[in-house]
Amino acid sequence: MTLVPVEEVRAFVLAACRPGPAVEVPLGEALGAVAAGEVRAGEPVPGFDNSAMDGFAVRAADVTAAPTTLRVVGTQLAGPVVPLSVGEGEAVRIMTGAAVPPGADAIVMVERTTPADDGSSVVVEVPVSPGTSVRRAGEDLRAGDVVVTPGTVLTPGRLGVLANVGATSVVVHRRPRVGVLSTGDELVSGGAPLAPGQVRDSNRPTLLALVASSGFVPVDLGRVGDDEAAITADLHAAVERCDAVLTSGGVSMGDVDLVKVVLDRIGDMRWFQVAVKPAKPFAFGLVDGVPVFGLPGNPVSSMVSFELFARPGLRRLAGFGDGALDRPRVRAVAGEDLRRGADGKVHLVRVVTTWGDDGRCRVRSAGGQGSHQLSAMAAADGLAVLPDGRGVAAGAEVDVLLLA
Ligand code: AMP
Ligand code: MG
């Protein structure tokens, strides 16, 4: 089987993943979701001219020279508007966020004033010009401004903007419900002593956590043995209740790689030997229209395969645009030799990143690089991308995918 470049496999996956249906959710459930519609401001923000400072609302024309004494005719706090106006020679005590009273066109900050002890007057110590420290209505948003376009990721700030225009809900692409199924007769869960040949199922908690931490809804589909009928039944049930399914194990060249057999029978699948290490075996296709990602069984491979292929595909289902599908990639400096042999594959080395005072990212190996050595993957926060060849020497530049 010929090795297929990572890019080609990724493109194949993305071509089959479509953004999920639009649903309306409360703002409190929208963090990290992708807007499916446009939202406009129905009102200006701020809604009225207000003070940017604690101080005094004045007529700038009265304070062209300083010091100037003004008569204080009342106080306007943030909140209900009191019936006050500022006439010639007058001032109103005002707090940050309070409505600027009619007649006033500038605010003098309290630090530039000396109020009389009885509060009846104030000496303004600096001249002010019209508009000083006044926050104008509509200065942030005008009525009709677009605040969210389809494809906008709802970050904390965006949710604040939506709240600012009075929205209590927002239409987003439904978060994909992503099923995770482990396969293999050797697998067990829990802490009981292992019988000879048994292996603990580490992929399922890892993949469920990757799904959750990527902002999708994890669905634990449990473990299924190397049994064709059981795998068939579990996969049929999985695509009924999930928007996408991740399996791990059973997709390589072994004798009981039955996931492969079943998926070929019930789905429209394609099998890859990807030109990458780890994560060479990978399967992808649709079962009853639902994307199924056949991830490799080796723990590091399943995580790397998730990063390279599943996460971008799932983000596409969640509505993310082309530029927002992948982890960020930086140009880093190898903090030590990162050696490899030529084999026609890209090697992804588990690395720990540090950011130097020079603003540059440096990477060092996170430990054992075997595809079964989950500890180094767990310690890593990046994957150094070593193109086919001999690797890079300490001090040379290397591309790094940032995982954290
Ligand atoms: P397979 O692709 O099914 O041949 O599995 C490849 C390797 O990954 C074998 O050593 C399996 O025991 C191991 N493996 C498969 N699934 C899991 C899992 N869920 N957790 C930990 N190791 C696994
Ligand atoms: Mg297996």
Side-chain angles (χ1 to χ4, degrees):
M1 214 169 170
T2 55
L3 296 177
V4 185
V6 169
E7 266 315 301
E8 201 177 314
V9 178
R10 181 182 170 282
F12 180 80
V13 167
L14 290 179
C17 294
R18 305 254 174 283
V23 292
E24 190 167 350
V25 297
L27 289 194
E29 293 169 19
L31 179 62
V34 180
E38 183 180 271
V39 181
R40 286 174 184 265
E43 58 199 26
V45 180
F48 52 92
D49 291 357
N50 67 91
S51 179
M53 297 284 174
D54 296 328
F56 290 86
V58 302
R59 296 153 57 107
D62 288 348
V63 231
T64 51
T68 299
T69 303
L70 301 172
R71 204 163 55 254
V72 176
V73 296
T75 298
Q76 176 66 63
L77 306 177
V81 174
V82 288
L84 279 173
S85 63
V86 176
E88 200 178 330
E90 293 179 343
V92 162
R93 253 182 92 225
I94 194 165
M95 303 303 143
T96 304
V100 176
D105 61 0
I107 308 294
V108 189
M109 65 201 287
V110 70
E111 294 88 338
R112 299 279 178 274
T113 67
T114 309
D117 285 345
D118 66 358
S120 65
S121 66
V122 61
V123 179
V124 176
E125 287 150 3
V126 289
V128 292
S129 44
T132 300
S133 295
V134 175
R135 306 195 286 210
R136 293 260 171 240
E139 224 168 43
D140 188 8
L141 293 171
R142 288 157 308 171
D145 279 354
V146 175
V147 297
V148 162
T149 53
T152 303
V153 182
L154 298 174
T155 56
R158 298 262 185 229
L159 295 177
V161 169
L162 286 169
N164 241 351
V165 301
T168 56
S169 63
V170 59
V171 177
V172 299
H173 292 284
R174 188 173 71 199
R175 281 180 213 272
R177 293 168 51 80
V178 183
V180 175
L181 179 68
S182 287
T183 72
D185 278 342
E186 75 278 29
L187 300 179
V188 291
S189 303
L194 294 176
Q198 285 189 328
V199 171
R200 299 198 197 277
D201 179 1
S202 62
N203 289 352
R204 192 149 44 100
T206 304
L207 290 170
L208 287 167
L210 281 171
V211 166
S213 65
S214 303
F216 317 126
V217 182
V219 179
D220 187 350
L221 300 174
R223 177 195 73 85
V224 63
D226 292 312
D227 175 288
E228 214 177 313
I231 296 172
T232 305
D234 280 14
L235 280 173
H236 273 309
V239 297
E240 286 272 303
R241 55 193 280 239
C242 298
D243 301 309
V245 176
L246 311 178
T247 65
S248 75
V251 297
S252 38
M253 302 297 204
D255 286 348
V256 289
D257 284 335
L258 295 171
V259 175
K260 196 166 169 170
V261 174
V262 171
L263 284 174
D264 256 342
R265 188 157 46 70
I266 69 172
D268 177 13
M269 301 298 293
R270 195 165 148 197
W271 304 94
F272 298 96
Q273 295 287 301
V274 187
V276 69
K277 183 179 176 182
K280 184 172 74 151
F282 173 68
F284 177 80
L286 302 175
V287 174
D288 298 342
V290 174
V292 176
F293 298 81
L295 307 179
N298 279 309
V300 177
S301 305
S302 71
M303 287 187 77
V304 170
S305 194
F306 177 90
E307 292 292 344
L308 295 179
F309 308 123
R311 192 169 176 277
L314 297 173
R315 279 172 77 84
R316 169 57 44 83
L317 296 184
F320 285 87
D322 277 341
L325 297 176
D326 297 301
R327 298 281 196 183
R329 199 183 251 251
V330 294
R331 197 98 180 113
V333 178
E336 62 190 2
D337 287 350
L338 298 173
R339 289 297 175 202
R340 54 159 294 173
D343 60 3
K345 297 179 212 157
V346 171
H347 287 199
L348 299 176
V349 179
R350 280 68 85 196
V351 292
V352 176
T353 65
T354 49
W355 294 81
D357 293 339
D358 56 359
R360 302 216 59 184
C361 179
R362 281 195 161 57
V363 296
R364 303 185 81 89
S365 168
Q369 297 290 325
S371 61
H372 59 297
Q373 289 172 302
L374 190 53
S375 303
M377 181 67 185
D381 61 359
L383 295 172
V385 183
L386 301 186
D388 196 17
R390 305 292 306 278
V392 300
E397 290 198 324
V398 61
D399 273 0
V400 175
L401 290 171
L402 298 179
L403 299 177

Short mmCIF file of all heavy atoms in Angstrom, two decimals, residues 183-186 226 248-250 256-257, ligand 2:
data_model
loop_
_atom_site.label_atom_id
_atom_site.label_comp_id
_atom_site.label_asym_id
_atom_site.label_seq_id
_atom_site.Cartn_x
_atom_site.Cartn_y
_atom_site.Cartn_z
N THR A 183 -11.74 -0.85 20.69
CA THR A 183 -11.89 -2.21 20.19
C THR A 183 -10.67 -3.04 20.54
O THR A 183 -9.54 -2.54 20.50
CB THR A 183 -12.06 -2.25 18.66
OG1 THR A 183 -10.80 -1.92 18.04
CG2 THR A 183 -13.12 -1.27 18.19
N GLY A 184 -10.90 -4.28 20.88
CA GLY A 184 -9.79 -5.20 21.13
C GLY A 184 -10.11 -6.14 22.27
O GLY A 184 -10.56 -5.70 23.34
N ASP A 185 -9.87 -7.44 22.06
CA ASP A 185 -10.11 -8.46 23.09
C ASP A 185 -9.19 -8.29 24.29
O ASP A 185 -9.51 -8.76 25.39
CB ASP A 185 -9.88 -9.87 22.51
CG ASP A 185 -11.11 -10.37 21.75
OD1 ASP A 185 -12.20 -9.80 21.97
OD2 ASP A 185 -10.95 -11.30 20.94
N GLU A 186 -8.05 -7.64 24.07
CA GLU A 186 -7.06 -7.55 25.15
C GLU A 186 -7.38 -6.45 26.15
O GLU A 186 -6.75 -6.37 27.21
CB GLU A 186 -5.66 -7.30 24.54
CG GLU A 186 -5.37 -5.89 24.01
CD GLU A 186 -5.92 -5.62 22.60
OE1 GLU A 186 -6.94 -6.24 22.24
OE2 GLU A 186 -5.34 -4.78 21.90
N ASP A 226 -12.95 -8.24 19.77
CA ASP A 226 -12.66 -8.53 18.35
C ASP A 226 -13.67 -9.54 17.84
O ASP A 226 -13.37 -10.74 17.69
CB ASP A 226 -11.21 -9.02 18.22
CG ASP A 226 -10.21 -7.92 18.54
OD1 ASP A 226 -10.37 -6.80 18.00
OD2 ASP A 226 -9.29 -8.15 19.35
N SER A 248 -10.96 3.23 18.05
CA SER A 248 -9.51 3.06 18.11
C SER A 248 -9.19 1.59 18.09
O SER A 248 -9.90 0.77 18.69
CB SER A 248 -8.90 3.75 19.33
OG SER A 248 -9.15 3.03 20.50
N GLY A 249 -8.15 1.25 17.38
CA GLY A 249 -7.72 -0.14 17.24
C GLY A 249 -8.38 -0.80 16.03
O GLY A 249 -9.38 -0.31 15.49
N GLY A 250 -7.78 -1.89 15.63
CA GLY A 250 -8.40 -2.72 14.60
C GLY A 250 -8.35 -2.18 13.19
O GLY A 250 -9.10 -2.63 12.32
N VAL A 256 -6.82 -9.82 13.33
CA VAL A 256 -8.17 -9.56 13.86
C VAL A 256 -8.48 -8.06 13.80
O VAL A 256 -9.15 -7.54 14.66
CB VAL A 256 -8.35 -10.09 15.30
CG1 VAL A 256 -8.40 -11.60 15.29
CG2 VAL A 256 -7.27 -9.56 16.22
N ASP A 257 -7.99 -7.40 12.78
CA ASP A 257 -8.33 -5.99 12.61
C ASP A 257 -9.71 -5.89 11.96
O ASP A 257 -9.89 -5.55 10.80
CB ASP A 257 -7.23 -5.25 11.85
CG ASP A 257 -6.03 -4.98 12.76
OD1 ASP A 257 -6.24 -4.93 13.99
OD2 ASP A 257 -4.90 -4.85 12.27
MG MG B 2 -6.85 -4.66 18.17
#
